[in-house]
Amino acid sequence: MTASATSPRTGMLPVDDTALYLTDTRGPGRPVVYLNGSYADHRPWQPVIAELGAGWRHITYDERARGRSRRSADYSFEACVRDIDAVLAATGVDRPLLVGWSYGAALAAHWADRNPDRVVGVVAVDGAIPYGLTGEEGRERIRRLFRRMRLLLPLVRPLGKAARMTADQHADINIEANEINAAIAPVLDRVTCPVRYVLATGASLGGGQEEMELMRAALDPVLARNPDIRVSAKVPSNHSHILRKDFRAVAEAVRQTAAADDQRTP
């Protein structure tokens, strides 16, 4: 991935036993690192990136076995947290603004909690909410869902909506993510950087309108306890379509987060 100091950078980043497809617009703008949904590649961020424009440094990457990235023996949440460190080291970014959608929002919150002096802020797009399907009943519900989708997954993979994994591996990632989200409230309580949420209001795949409203309401106690965490916008789209239909609200949350950090910096 050779490039000049300001030219865009695209290529494969070796990490552990895999390699991640990385893009970096470079330049002097404030660096924004985009963290994808559980099985998505980097492409859904393009409307947000276009809306923010060239005044920012946009860094995207495909997680393990997603998009153009290679397979791995480790698809755990902790491996994904380590991948953030690898991306930052490769790009030379010291203080990123992390923007995460769904699974990526939980990654952003955990990384910010562990690195309070190294993060500008977090934009959480319909994720990092203290709610999840747990216990054997929840795990079996997730497994059934992905068993039903097993023939569909290879068809949507070229669209960046599934990983190069088996249906069981997709389910394992979702099960772990639900457990992490169900236990994320203490992480959010500790976060000291500006955090701005953009929340969808519609139903979602695997969750009806009532269940999704219950999930998002689980964020309210965190908002009451931590003044650094706010809801930037509630938008009419659903979980799957939020980046495509409400990219302007996400971009505005990025601007708000950066402005909040500027106000805190002496």
Side-chain angles (χ1 to χ4, degrees):
M1 290 192 297
T2 60
S4 70
T6 58
S7 62
R9 177 187 195 183
T10 302
M12 303 301 292
L13 171 64
V15 182
D16 297 339
D17 66 342
T18 184
L20 309 179
Y21 179 75
L22 171 71
T23 72
D24 180 3
T25 60
R26 299 165 73 90
R30 189 190 292 267
V32 182
V33 178
Y34 299 88
L35 306 176
N36 310 327
S38 295
Y39 318 110
D41 63 13
H42 67 283
R43 287 178 288 177
W45 293 111
Q46 291 308 311
V48 178
I49 291 171
E51 177 70 14
L52 286 170
W56 304 74
R57 180 180 175 183
H58 305 285
I59 299 169
T60 71
Y61 66 98
D62 295 340
E63 265 296 351
R64 303 171 182 223
R66 284 80 150 178
R68 300 184 189 181
S69 294
R70 296 173 188 161
R71 290 185 174 93
S72 172
D74 186 356
Y75 298 123
S76 67
F77 187 84
E78 287 301 318
C80 293
V81 173
R82 294 197 304 273
D83 289 343
I84 298 174
D85 289 312
V87 167
L88 295 178
T91 55
V93 170
D94 294 324
R95 293 186 72 239
L97 195 163
L98 300 177
V99 186
W101 168 42
S102 189
Y103 186 83
L107 286 172
H110 273 265
W111 195 90
D113 174 44
R114 301 177 195 188
N115 300 274
D117 298 325
R118 295 180 57 203
V119 63
V120 167
V122 169
V123 174
V125 183
D126 216 38
I129 297 171
Y131 181 92
L133 299 175
T134 59
E136 188 52 42
E137 182 178 351
R139 290 191 288 270
E140 185 55 32
R141 175 177 165 182
I142 293 168
R143 291 190 185 102
R144 286 198 304 268
L145 173 64
F146 282 96
R147 288 189 198 112
R148 291 197 299 268
M149 294 172 59
R150 68 186 184 280
L151 299 179
L152 178 64
L153 294 174
L155 300 178
V156 300
R157 187 178 300 142
L159 304 176
K161 297 181 179 180
R164 291 193 305 281
M165 303 176 186
T166 67
D168 286 341
Q169 287 173 319
H170 279 79
D172 289 341
I173 288 171
N174 196 278
I175 288 168
E176 183 187 35
N178 271 271
E179 293 171 350
I180 286 168
N181 279 318
I184 205 169
V187 173
L188 297 173
D189 287 342
R190 291 192 300 264
V191 169
T192 56
C193 67
V195 179
R196 298 295 179 265
Y197 277 83
V198 179
L199 301 176
T201 57
S204 183
L205 177 66
Q209 183 78 35
E210 184 176 349
E211 183 176 14
M212 298 305 288
E213 289 177 358
L214 181 64
M215 178 193 76
R216 291 163 186 140
L219 185 62
D220 291 343
V222 172
L223 296 171
R225 292 192 298 264
N226 189 340
D228 291 318
I229 300 178
R230 302 177 187 177
V231 174
S232 175
K234 292 185 178 181
V235 296
S237 58
N238 66 18
H239 185 79
S240 299
H241 298 152
I242 190 168
L243 293 182
R244 178 167 59 87
K245 293 188 174 182
D246 291 293
F247 60 89
R248 292 185 180 88
V250 177
E252 178 57 25
V254 173
R255 297 186 191 102
Q256 291 176 7
T257 305
D261 177 69
D262 289 340
Q263 292 172 3
R264 294 157 63 103
T265 303

